[in-house]
Amino acid sequence: MLPAGAALLVLTGALLGTAACTKEYSAPLLDQQALLTGRATPADTALTRWRITARTTTYNGQAYDLYAETEACRRNNYRQFLIDTLLVWHPSQQACVTPQADTVAQGYWRLTDDGTALILRNDPDLVRRQYTIQELTATQLVLFNSEKTVNGSALTETVTLTAR
């Protein structure tokens, strides 16, 4: 189990939750935006559903498999990066609670100007986290974050999402 001090930082990143403004991207960033959203233009109707398939963290040199600790009912929850920078989390058909809403939470996303990172902000906490994009294809997204905790300890996180 992850120590409490690191748990808060990891919890804020769990939502994978950015500035809520529409940004015009250059051609290479438009390609990345299309991969994230599944939409090359606002007229496209397909939306990519991203599901976390691996999530690990290292805290003070100790590795933790957070995906293995995820409840089975949450493993099929998915996220959608909407073209207007809204990020929405949807529950799977196997609900952890009944009744459940169609949308669990939402936040905002944007690509950095050089396209090497994805900035996520969850609402209502407005916790902002920047992830380095290690891989982005039509079927896989791998994100990496490294930061210091309040007590100065090193915390890293790698999240793999698979499109479905």
Side-chain angles (χ1 to χ4, degrees):
M1 180 64 57
L2 190 63
L8 178 61
L9 284 173
V10 171
L11 178 62
T12 60
L15 287 178
L16 283 181
T18 315
C21 61
T22 302
K23 181 166 175 73
E24 295 296 322
Y25 292 117
S26 63
L29 292 179
L30 283 174
D31 292 341
Q32 287 182 296
Q33 180 186 38
L35 288 171
L36 284 170
T37 63
R39 298 173 73 179
T41 70
D44 292 341
T45 57
L47 290 173
T48 301
R49 295 178 176 198
W50 293 98
R51 184 174 55 90
I52 293 178
T53 53
R55 185 163 174 242
T56 58
T57 192
T58 302
Y59 178 70
N60 280 341
Q62 177 69 41
Y64 300 90
D65 183 347
L66 299 179
Y67 184 76
E69 296 179 20
T70 302
E71 295 174 273
C73 60
R74 297 187 192 284
R75 288 189 178 177
N76 285 322
N77 289 357
Y78 64 92
R79 293 115 187 102
Q80 289 180 303
F81 294 89
L82 305 183
I83 203 159
D84 63 359
T85 73
L86 188 64
L87 177 59
V88 182
W89 298 266
H90 299 277
S92 67
Q93 296 300 325
Q94 181 186 1
C96 293
V97 294
T98 305
Q100 89 180 13
D102 289 336
T103 301
V104 173
Q106 66 183 29
Y108 299 95
W109 69 274
R110 79 173 174 87
L111 294 165
T112 55
D113 290 338
D114 63 2
T116 61
L118 183 62
I119 300 170
L120 304 170
R121 189 185 83 209
N122 67 310
D123 280 341
D125 304 327
L126 302 181
V127 174
R128 181 183 182 271
R129 182 165 286 159
Q130 182 167 318
Y131 289 87
T132 300
I133 299 171
Q134 291 187 321
E135 181 180 350
L136 175 57
T137 67
T139 58
Q140 185 159 300
L141 172 61
V142 180
L143 302 172
F144 176 79
N145 175 271
S146 178
E147 57 190 70
K148 297 283 186 189
T149 63
V150 186
N151 65 4
S153 300
L155 177 70
T156 65
E157 179 181 24
T158 302
V159 182
T160 301
L161 296 100
T162 303
R164 56 179 205 161

